[in-house]
């Protein structure tokens, strides 16, 4: 910070979709240097027969002009350090998005668990009511339960009326 000025965060420079589109248009490549560029390859420490990994400078110039430059020999070069900063920004944005999606998934999973518990409870209650109804149909315990189904329906209606009053 002591040697830099006008420091601005990259986060405000690129919107998420724009950044995704720009990087999707860059194609990582594997290449060997042509004979005319062998001196350059030797200065980078690569042997002429070694493959190099990188990007095509013309494509970088189109998408991230601040990360491409013209060298003294007239050829284009890539500022990989600058491009690395933009890649870090992209990774941070993706990590944030993944974290948000993980939270949504966890919330949805919790909602599903609650709904499963409610559904199980409803099924158990329905089975009990079916047993009561079956017993009434068979004439057994009719005096004990009377009209259980009617009592159940009345209790449900009271619950709905109470909820309507609260809302």
């Amino acid at each position: 910070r002591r040697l830099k000025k006008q420091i601005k965060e990259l986060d405000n420079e690129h919107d998420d979709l724009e950044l995704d589109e720009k990087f999707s248009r860059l194609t990582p490549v594997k290449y060997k240097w042509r004979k005319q560029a062998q001196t350059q390859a030797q200065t980078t420490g690569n042997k002429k027969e070694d493959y190099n990994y990188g990007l095509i400078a013309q494509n970088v110039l189109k998408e991230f002009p601040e990360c491409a430059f013209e060298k003294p020999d007239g050829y284009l070069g890539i500022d990989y350090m600058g491009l690395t900063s933009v890649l870090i920004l992209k990774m941070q944005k993706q990590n944030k998005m993944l974290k948000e999606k993980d939270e949504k998934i966890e919330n949805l999973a919790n909602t599903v668990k609650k709904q499963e518990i409610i559904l199980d409870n409803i099924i158990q209650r329905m089975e009990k009511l079916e047993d009561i109804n079956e017993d009434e149909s068979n004439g057994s315990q009719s005096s004990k339960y009377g009209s259980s189904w009617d009592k159940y329906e009345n209790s449900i209606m009271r619950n709905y009326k109470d909820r309507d009053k609260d809302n």
Side-chain angles (χ1 to χ4, degrees):
R1 287 191 176 267
R2 292 188 314 173
L3 300 176
K4 297 173 180 150
K5 62 182 185 176
Q6 296 180 348
I7 298 172
K8 298 176 186 176
E9 289 191 20
L10 286 179
D11 195 28
N12 301 325
E13 298 278 321
H14 304 280
D15 118 313
D16 294 350
L17 287 175
E18 175 191 20
L19 204 56
D20 286 345
E21 289 172 10
K22 285 183 172 196
F23 273 107
S24 70
R25 289 189 290 261
L26 294 181
T27 305
V29 294
K30 176 179 170 180
Y31 61 91
K32 288 187 178 187
W33 289 108
R34 294 178 188 242
K35 287 185 182 184
Q36 65 200 40
Q38 282 181 4
T39 55
Q40 180 181 356
Q42 290 168 353
T43 60
T44 61
N46 291 341
K47 297 177 187 169
K48 63 181 180 182
E49 65 271 358
D50 286 346
Y51 274 99
N52 294 275
Y53 296 95
L55 300 166
I56 303 300
Q58 290 82 352
N59 297 342
V60 173
L61 180 64
K62 287 179 194 171
E63 303 303 332
F64 299 99
E66 62 279 1
C67 294
F69 60 93
E70 188 173 330
K71 298 187 286 185
D73 60 5
Y75 288 100
L76 288 177
I78 298 173
D79 174 13
Y80 282 102
M81 291 300 290
L83 199 54
T84 300
S85 298
V86 181
L87 277 170
I88 290 171
L89 171 66
K90 180 172 172 43
M91 287 178 55
Q92 289 172 339
K93 287 181 179 230
Q94 283 182 334
N95 287 341
K96 180 182 175 189
M97 186 175 62
L98 286 173
K99 191 174 188 176
E100 289 169 357
K101 287 186 180 201
D102 285 345
E103 289 171 3
K104 284 182 183 178
I105 290 170
E106 186 176 337
N107 289 339
L108 289 171
N110 289 335
T111 300
V112 167
K113 285 179 187 176
K114 289 176 187 175
Q115 290 175 343
E116 286 174 343
I117 291 169
I118 291 169
L119 184 59
D120 286 344
N121 187 6
I122 290 172
I123 290 170
Q124 289 174 1
R125 292 173 72 186
M126 289 298 295
E127 287 172 349
K128 286 180 185 177
L129 288 173
E130 287 171 351
D131 290 344
I132 291 170
N133 194 25
E134 186 178 307
D135 289 344
E136 287 178 354
S137 298
N138 293 335
S140 64
Q141 298 181 354
S142 59
S143 61
K144 181 178 179 183
Y145 292 110
S147 58
S148 298
W149 185 255
D150 292 334
K151 289 178 184 176
Y152 176 73
E153 284 181 321
N154 288 335
S155 71
I156 294 292
M157 293 306 288
R158 278 193 304 272
N159 285 340
Y160 281 118
K161 287 178 183 176
D162 290 342
R163 278 192 220 158
D164 289 341
K165 286 177 188 176
D166 293 339
N167 291 333

